Amino acid sequence: MSKPRSRRGGGRPTLADVARKAGVGAITVSRALREPGRVSEDLRRQIQAAVDELGYVPDPNARALASARAEVFGVLVPSLTNNVFAEVVRGIYDSLSDSPFRIQIGNTHYSGLEEERLLQVFGSQRPAALIVAGIDQTPGARRLLENAGCPVVQVMETGPDPVDMMVGFSHFDGGRTAAGHLLQAGYRKIGFIGARMDPRSQRRLAGYRAAMEAAGLFDPRLITTTPVPSSVTLGRELFRDALAKMPTLDGVFCNNDDIALGVLFECHRASIDVPKQIGIVGFNDLDMMQVSFPSITSVRTHRYEIGTRAVALALAAIAGNPPEQRIVDLGFELMRRESTAR
């Protein structure tokens, strides 16, 4: 590998050397190297030619010192194995793939205290932006976000009081829509089955309850939940528990798709006809909902788009153009399928 050419007077080529060689200002060179899309193609080629001729290599440490910010996006999610958050992270990575920014991920394991600890670590590294799942931070975590000194985007939910910016949807409305769909399809003894009842699942449950109460059909015995992490196997077990409490159960809204698939499998095992005897609705609309037999109705959430929009908001703020609309509601979509086609 050839060494970078020494500039006149000795030493490695600097940004100022590139600017002189290209006949432009140092700020223009910095912009072209950091955000190529913000300069014309001709100018970018002119600067790149100077970079190549001089053998200039950007110093990330010097750049971080100059801006007082590391070129890092800190991302906090509650799980790295859950497909729901994997899609959000994929959207973030894809959106930053052609940028100078790197991504540092922290797994909170659904723990508020772990989120606080990770925010302290991330904050000490002075990231360019923070993307954080959820809106239910502890008071300590919220203070850390408010004092982070960089753009902050809360994702996966919307609410009235963002720390800075927010991208997501209403889990309450999603739950109410799911239960309302079952009611419209003619089901009446509609249960709620949920695992790992984090705040997002609690809001889905609240939406379900609102729909059932409005129809005059709510009964607390219809609710079957556990704090245990979700799985397909757990869905089978919870459905058996729900039937034991309410043998006349004729519909189920599950707080996620793993549970919904487990309910379907248990219906097959027990020779319960879906959708004639039991209607099933999941949440998030993972791929398996479309290919199960029968296919399962689910609330589709726009997870990949949440990741890409979060990055777009943060980049705009970093560039000095904070968006006027700080709360972006991407909504959801009820995907009607065979499991509720009575």
Side-chain angles (χ1 to χ4, degrees):
M1 179 183 295
S2 61
K3 296 181 179 180
R5 299 180 188 178
S6 297
R7 63 189 174 94
R8 187 170 55 196
R12 295 170 64 89
T14 67
L15 191 74
D17 295 326
V18 175
R20 278 193 295 270
K21 187 72 177 178
V24 297
I27 292 176
T28 301
V29 173
S30 177
R31 183 183 298 117
L33 296 178
R34 289 167 60 92
E35 301 175 80
R38 296 186 64 191
V39 300
S40 69
E41 181 66 18
D42 289 344
L43 185 55
R44 189 191 65 78
R45 288 177 178 172
Q46 178 181 334
I47 292 170
Q48 188 60 49
V51 167
D52 293 342
E53 182 175 341
L54 293 173
Y56 172 71
V57 178
D59 182 348
N61 293 324
R63 194 184 297 173
L65 285 172
S67 63
R69 286 282 158 192
E71 292 182 331
V72 171
F73 270 51
V75 179
L76 289 181
V77 293
S79 172
L80 295 177
T81 57
N82 187 321
N83 286 333
V84 171
F85 297 104
E87 279 292 286
V88 176
V89 171
R90 186 170 69 88
I92 294 170
Y93 267 96
D94 287 355
S95 297
L96 291 173
S97 61
D98 293 328
S99 79
F101 296 103
R102 294 162 291 153
I103 298 169
Q104 184 171 351
I105 296 181
N107 184 353
T108 68
H109 300 283
Y110 293 91
S111 166
L113 293 178
E114 179 65 6
E115 183 176 54
E116 281 190 36
R117 189 188 71 81
L118 288 171
L119 283 173
Q120 289 172 344
V121 173
F122 281 20
S124 68
Q125 297 169 355
R126 300 185 62 78
L130 287 170
I131 298 176
V132 184
I135 61 176
D136 295 282
Q137 282 76 29
T138 65
R142 186 173 179 99
R143 282 194 297 272
L144 288 167
L145 290 172
E146 289 172 343
N147 296 323
C150 67
V152 173
V153 188
Q154 294 161 286
V155 297
M156 294 302 291
E157 295 191 68
T158 56
D161 188 26
V163 171
D164 184 10
M165 296 171 284
M166 188 178 287
V167 183
F169 60 95
S170 168
H171 290 260
F172 177 89
D173 289 347
R176 182 167 56 186
T177 296
H181 169 66
L182 285 163
L183 289 166
Q184 290 171 4
Y187 300 98
R188 288 297 175 263
K189 294 288 186 179
I190 303 167
F192 177 92
I193 297 181
R196 197 195 283 277
M197 294 299 292
D198 62 24
R200 286 172 290 280
S201 288
Q202 293 287 353
R203 282 188 267 278
R204 293 171 207 168
L205 171 57
Y208 152 85
R209 179 167 182 161
M212 293 295 286
E213 287 179 342
L217 295 172
F218 178 73
D219 184 332
R221 292 175 298 170
L222 291 167
I223 298 175
T224 305
T225 63
T226 177
V228 175
S230 180
S231 70
V232 175
T233 300
L234 182 61
R236 295 183 62 179
E237 297 170 357
L238 291 176
F239 182 57
R240 286 197 292 266
D241 293 343
L243 281 177
K245 290 191 299 180
M246 185 70 70
T248 56
L249 197 70
D250 69 352
V252 177
F253 168 44
C254 304
N255 79 319
N256 63 47
D257 292 337
D258 288 345
I259 298 297
L261 193 62
V263 170
L264 178 63
F265 287 165
E266 182 59 20
C267 286
H268 288 331
R269 188 201 64 80
S271 298
I272 298 172
D273 188 285
V274 178
K276 290 182 181 178
Q277 292 174 268
I278 289 280
I280 305 172
V281 177
F283 201 95
N284 284 313
D285 197 37
L286 302 181
D287 288 344
M288 59 190 176
M289 297 292 96
Q290 301 180 55
V291 299
S292 64
F293 182 78
S295 58
I296 300 176
T297 297
S298 188
V299 177
R300 175 174 293 176
T301 56
H302 305 295
R303 303 174 298 280
Y304 181 84
E305 290 79 4
I306 286 173
T308 60
R309 290 294 293 272
V311 170
L313 290 175
L315 288 176
I318 290 170
N321 302 305
E324 292 184 11
Q325 184 182 359
R326 292 183 172 269
I327 301 176
V328 179
D329 188 345
L330 294 181
F332 52 84
E333 191 176 356
L334 181 71
M335 307 305 295
R336 296 173 175 84
R337 299 196 180 96
E338 295 166 338
S339 69
T340 56
R342 221 175 195 181

